Amino acid sequence: MCCGETASKASDSLWVHPLRALLAFSLCHLISGYSEHDRALELMSKYPLIDGHNDLALKLRILHNNNLSQINLNHVSKVATDISRLRAGHVQAQMFAVYVMCGAQQKDAVRLTLEQIDVVRRMCTEYQDFELVTSAQGLKDSEMRHKIACLISIEGGHSIDSSLPALRMFYQLGVRSMALTHSCNTPWAESSSNLYKVFLKRESSLTQFGKDVVDEMNRLGMIVDLSHTSWATASAVLGYSKAPVIFSHSSSFSICNHSRNVPDELLRKLKKNQGLIMVNLYSHYVACSDKANVSHVADHFDHIKRVIGAESIGIGGDFDGGESFPRGLEDVSKYPAIIQELLRRNWTESELLGVLRTNFLRVFEDVEKVRDQRILQKPSEAHIPLEQVQNPCRLVLRRPDFPSKAEEKSLSLLVLTSVLLLSSLFLD
Ligand SMILES: *[C@@H]1O[C@H](CO)[C@@H](O)[C@H](O)[C@H]1NC(C)=O
Ligand SMILES: *[C@@H]1O[C@H](CO)[C@@H](O)[C@H](O)[C@H]1NC(C)=O
Ligand SMILES: *[C@@H]1O[C@H](CO)[C@@H](O)[C@H](O)[C@H]1NC(C)=O
Ligand SMILES: [Zn+2]
């Protein structure tokens, strides 16, 4: 654009001086080379990014056992996320995943999730640069205060141990989004992965209790996240949720056919739901290999825009989740490279500010509107049938009555009878 102007304004004199024309031409090239870079930075300082997914909290657990006092979050080594790089990347808000391994599903997933929420809350209150936010308005306000907003997002329905009261208490702690599954099925929803052989597919990819979970999330104003669920579950939820949903960190299946990505048919359903797909940058989802670059990433944006429009797209980097990221997108400071590439591919500034911020804000506000419409609805008292949970860690609630002397006697009598009966069988 600037080159066009320069050329037309200067055209008269350039006509006379070919050398000057050549100079101006190369200057133009120089300017245009820089200009998408500069335009990307300028756009992002006006409309800083809201990113859908980051696994720093998982890395804090793995590397530091959540000992925050031992690190300085301004500069953290061996991770892709710290305050200085978030600032450099013009990240204004980050959904931090509180993720616990699927292996905890029938053990202490709830405790581990509480500990991950604790570490995100500590990090976002102990550092001045951060601010914990729990509403769309809070998110906008934090931008005015030049803070990096932290949103808390549960990654995997196993974190609630099939309990709506647990879900509500997580909401009270500030959780505003939950992915219905991670790599394991829950008793009520199905994962895109077959890694764990628990709660295998039954008659339905979203059971009655799964619908109760979605209903309760709609009532609370918690965003339903479909990244990691199976397509059948995603499809069922898209047909059921009263509020828009998100894929917080998934890319396009048409561009890279990984089961974590979203096929066009589901994208169209997402459009009808007025939800959002936040493009994942992990090389294996972007290029189906560990060798990827910014062009591969931009191909996902171009394709999804062709299918459902730019207003349905956001960014969910997945930094510190995956192991290999595209060349030029190695950490959270590199987001401007995506915007630069999309500008080069003629994305308009209004499409890009949607991708950066306003598409997510619209979805979050719509989710809050659905909550506000249900203000009179009481908390759900739906319980999952115990036989569907199969969790040996669950205490079956009853009066802690120790057997009386009489009961003890009848119990030993029962045992004795069974032993006699069994031995008579074997003697036969
Ligand atoms: C965390 O801190 C505790 C107490 O200071 C210490 O015993 C433990 O070794 C630390 N863990 C790691 C992984 O740094
Ligand atoms: C992806 O495509 C490759 C090559 O066409 C094929 O071998 C593979 O099975 C496909 N994967 C999925 C998940 O469809
Ligand atoms: C990305 O890699 C592909 C080959 O896989 C190549 O054609 C393309 O030019 C590269 N793009 C950039 C920006 O390096
Ligand atoms: Zn994930």
Side-chain angles (χ1 to χ4, degrees):
M1 211 181 350
C2 95
C3 276
E5 278 168 33
T6 324
S8 61
K9 269 185 216 154
S11 57
D12 291 348
S13 52
L14 292 180
W15 188 246
V16 200
H17 299 284
L19 190 67
R20 220 195 276 169
L22 194 69
L23 255 168
F25 179 76
S26 37
L27 194 68
C28 268
H29 253 255
L30 211 64
I31 290 168
S32 74
Y34 278 118
S35 91
E36 270 134 17
H37 175 77
D38 289 346
R39 277 171 69 207
L41 291 179
E42 199 187 319
L43 192 68
M44 289 191 77
S45 48
K46 265 195 274 178
Y47 303 101
L49 176 65
I50 301 171
D51 181 85
H53 196 86
N54 182 287
D55 273 307
L56 177 62
L58 172 65
K59 285 288 171 73
L60 294 179
R61 160 88 71 184
I62 293 171
L63 299 173
H64 303 285
N65 197 22
N66 287 359
N67 284 359
L68 270 189
S69 61
Q70 290 170 354
I71 52 171
N72 173 0
L73 278 181
N74 290 297
H75 303 278
V76 189
S77 52
K78 297 194 206 133
V79 299
T81 312
D82 56 27
I83 292 172
S84 67
R85 283 176 286 171
L86 287 166
R87 290 289 191 198
H90 294 276
V91 180
Q92 189 270 315
Q94 181 64 66
M95 284 233 259
F96 284 109
V98 291
Y99 160 73
V100 307
M101 297 72 186
C102 272
Q105 172 152 229
Q106 281 156 308
K107 294 182 178 158
D108 44 5
V110 175
R111 171 181 65 89
L112 290 167
T113 305
L114 285 168
E115 292 179 356
Q116 292 311 94
I117 293 173
D118 173 71
V119 80
V120 173
R121 290 187 61 110
R122 287 180 61 200
M123 131 184 149
C124 294
T125 48
E126 289 173 20
Y127 284 82
Q128 291 291 303
D129 287 86
F130 281 134
E131 183 172 63
L132 187 71
V133 307
T134 54
S135 66
Q137 190 57 49
L139 223 175
K140 292 190 242 177
D141 293 345
S142 71
E143 202 246 322
M144 298 307 214
R145 287 197 284 272
H146 303 287
K147 299 275 189 182
I148 301 168
C150 303
L151 288 154
I152 305 177
S153 150
I154 290 178
E155 189 177 14
H158 58 289
S159 280
I160 64 168
D161 190 11
S162 303
S163 159
L164 297 182
L167 175 73
R168 289 193 283 271
M169 290 303 99
F170 283 134
Y171 181 88
Q172 291 294 326
L173 293 175
V175 175
R176 288 296 175 271
S177 159
M178 179 171 82
L180 299 188
T181 72
H182 192 259
S183 306
C184 46
N185 302 324
T186 64
W188 42 271
E190 203 175 78
S191 168
S192 66
S193 160
N194 293 319
L195 209 59
Y196 293 84
K197 309 286 176 212
V198 287
F199 303 121
L200 288 182
K201 198 170 186 167
R202 282 182 301 264
E203 75 289 348
S204 157
S205 31
L206 185 71
T207 66
Q208 179 52 50
F209 186 77
K211 290 179 182 167
D212 294 336
V213 171
V214 172
D215 267 334
E216 193 64 357
M217 290 177 76
N218 285 171
R219 188 190 70 83
L220 287 165
M222 198 189 274
I223 303 168
V224 176
D225 181 359
L226 296 179
S227 279
H228 285 287
T229 65
S230 72
W231 295 349
T233 296
S235 177
V237 174
L238 282 165
Y240 187 76
S241 176
K242 301 292 183 297
V245 305
I246 62 172
F247 289 87
S248 69
H249 60 306
S250 294
S251 302
S252 160
F253 187 82
S254 289
I255 302 296
C256 159
N257 70 345
H258 194 289
S259 62
R260 273 283 282 103
N261 286 339
V262 184
D264 294 351
E265 180 200 340
L266 272 183
L267 286 178
R268 290 187 199 99
K269 289 186 181 170
L270 180 68
K271 169 115 188 142
K272 229 178 261 165
N273 163 272
Q274 302 188 320
L276 192 66
I277 173 169
M278 308 179 87
V279 174
N280 191 319
L281 307 180
Y282 177 45
S283 296
H284 283 273
Y285 302 160
V286 161
C288 284
S289 91
D290 56 7
K291 303 248 177 305
N293 61 36
V294 180
S295 314
H296 295 111
V297 172
D299 291 345
H300 287 265
F301 281 87
D302 278 343
H303 179 80
I304 299 169
K305 182 169 106 173
R306 255 195 314 275
V307 179
I308 53 171
E311 66 281 4
S312 309
I313 310 178
I315 302 176
D318 207 4
F319 285 112
D320 287 316
E323 288 313 318
S324 66
F325 282 83
R327 191 151 39 78
L329 291 173
E330 295 83 0
D331 63 46
V332 296
S333 70
K334 306 292 176 65
Y335 286 108
I338 301 171
I339 301 305
Q340 182 179 342
E341 175 63 14
L342 295 178
L343 282 168
R344 202 184 67 74
R345 295 185 181 204
N346 295 320
W347 282 54
T348 67
E349 298 202 348
S350 85
E351 286 169 342
L352 289 171
L353 71 90
V355 166
L356 287 165
R357 286 186 79 70
T358 53
N359 296 343
F360 180 82
L361 282 168
R362 180 196 71 230
V363 168
F364 198 4
E365 281 166 354
D366 285 352
V367 167
E368 291 176 336
K369 268 181 218 147
V370 170
R371 172 200 63 192
D372 293 343
Q373 288 158 8
R374 298 174 159 215
I375 200 89
L376 295 175
Q377 191 181 324
K378 292 272 192 299
S380 166
E381 294 181 340
H383 290 273
I384 194 163
L386 206 55
E387 66 274 14
Q388 287 181 20
V389 187
Q390 302 160 16
N391 186 348
C393 275
R394 278 190 168 216
L395 181 67
V396 179
L397 293 178
R398 61 167 171 248
R399 204 161 58 89
D401 51 349
F402 303 101
S404 67
K405 281 272 174 306
E407 278 169 338
E408 253 172 45
K409 259 188 211 147
S410 65
L411 192 71
S412 28
L413 206 68
L414 189 75
V415 172
L416 191 70
T417 330
S418 326
V419 168
L420 285 175
L421 217 113
L422 275 173
S423 43
S424 74
L425 278 177
F426 282 109
L427 287 174
D428 265 26

